[in-house]
Amino acid sequence: MNRPLIFALILFALVGIAVACDPRDEIIGPISPTPSDGLDSIAYSPTAYQFPVINGLPAMQIPLDNPVTLEGVKLGRYLFYDKMLSIDHSISCGSCHQQDKAFTDGLPKSVGVGGSIGTRSAMSLINIGYAWRPNNAHNFMWDGKFRDLEEQALAPVEHPLEMKNTWTEVVTRLKEHA
C-alpha cells in the first residue's frame, strides 16, 4: 500500500469515529426525551446515515438487514459512553475503547467491573466498519469468535470479566431512563 492511501485510511477512520463516538451533542445533536410509557408509542421513521466520502476509500459494506441510520449512530454514541450497561454502573464501552489510545485501553489485559482482569486486551475499533464482509464468517475478536459487529457488540455486556450484566436488565434500565 502506498503512503497517501494509508494516510487517507487513517484520516477517514479518525473522522468517522470522532463523529460517531464524540460524546458532545453539537456533533450529531441532543437526544430528544422519549415517552415514559414504553417504546411502542415512539414513532419511528429513521433517517439514512451518510458516511463521509473520502477519495481513495471504498464504500463500507453495510449488512442489508441492519442499515445505518442517523438515529442509530446517535443512540450508539450515547450507549458507547453510558455506564448503565455495566452491572454496577462503573464502566462503559468507552472505558476500554478510549479515543486517545486508538480506541483501546493500552493495557495488556483489560479491566472490567469490580477490577476484574480480563483475558485479553481491548481491540482497537479503528476502521472496524471495514472488517465486515458478506458471507465471511467469523471476522471479529482476536480469535474470530463472532461473525459480525452486531453479534460481537452484545458479548461484553454479559461477559463475567467485563460488564457482567444481562440484556434483560439493560433493556429494563433503558426503558426507565429519560
Side-chain angles (χ1 to χ4, degrees):
M1 231 187 261
N2 61 30
R3 284 189 182 289
L5 182 56
I6 291 171
F7 177 75
L9 286 170
I10 291 170
L11 180 63
F12 178 75
L14 294 175
V15 168
I17 289 173
V19 169
C21 296
D22 195 309
R24 297 172 296 158
D25 285 342
E26 64 265 19
I27 301 296
I28 296 178
I31 292 180
S32 303
T34 57
S36 60
D37 61 340
L39 300 177
D40 296 336
S41 64
I42 300 171
Y44 183 66
S45 55
T47 309
Y49 181 79
Q50 299 299 315
F51 286 96
V53 176
I54 297 180
N55 290 336
L57 289 178
M60 268 193 256
Q61 294 187 31
I62 307 297
L64 294 175
D65 64 345
N66 192 9
V68 180
T69 66
L70 182 62
E71 296 80 6
V73 169
K74 185 189 285 188
L75 177 60
R77 183 190 74 205
Y78 279 96
L79 290 176
F80 187 82
Y81 293 103
D82 202 320
K83 294 180 178 183
M84 83 164 70
L85 298 182
S86 64
I87 190 69
D88 62 359
H89 300 266
S90 65
I91 64 170
S92 68
C93 299
S95 298
C96 291
H97 299 283
Q98 301 165 25
Q99 291 185 47
D100 63 343
K101 294 181 179 151
F103 284 91
T104 183
D105 55 12
L107 301 171
K109 293 184 179 181
S110 297
V111 179
V113 295
S116 59
I117 306 297
T119 58
R120 302 173 175 173
S121 171
M123 290 185 70
S124 174
L125 301 181
I126 291 180
N127 282 338
I128 199 69
Y130 285 101
W132 181 82
R133 295 289 180 264
N135 304 315
N136 187 7
H138 307 291
N139 295 319
F140 297 92
M141 293 298 286
W142 294 110
D143 59 1
K145 182 176 183 178
F146 301 109
R147 90 185 141 78
D148 56 37
L149 279 173
E150 290 85 353
E151 184 180 306
Q152 189 285 321
L154 297 173
V157 169
E158 295 185 312
H159 196 286
L161 297 176
E162 294 181 38
M163 295 177 153
K164 200 178 182 178
N165 208 344
T166 67
W167 279 105
T168 301
E169 175 63 21
V170 169
V171 169
T172 298
R173 289 177 185 184
L174 290 173
K175 284 182 177 180
E176 293 172 353
H177 192 276

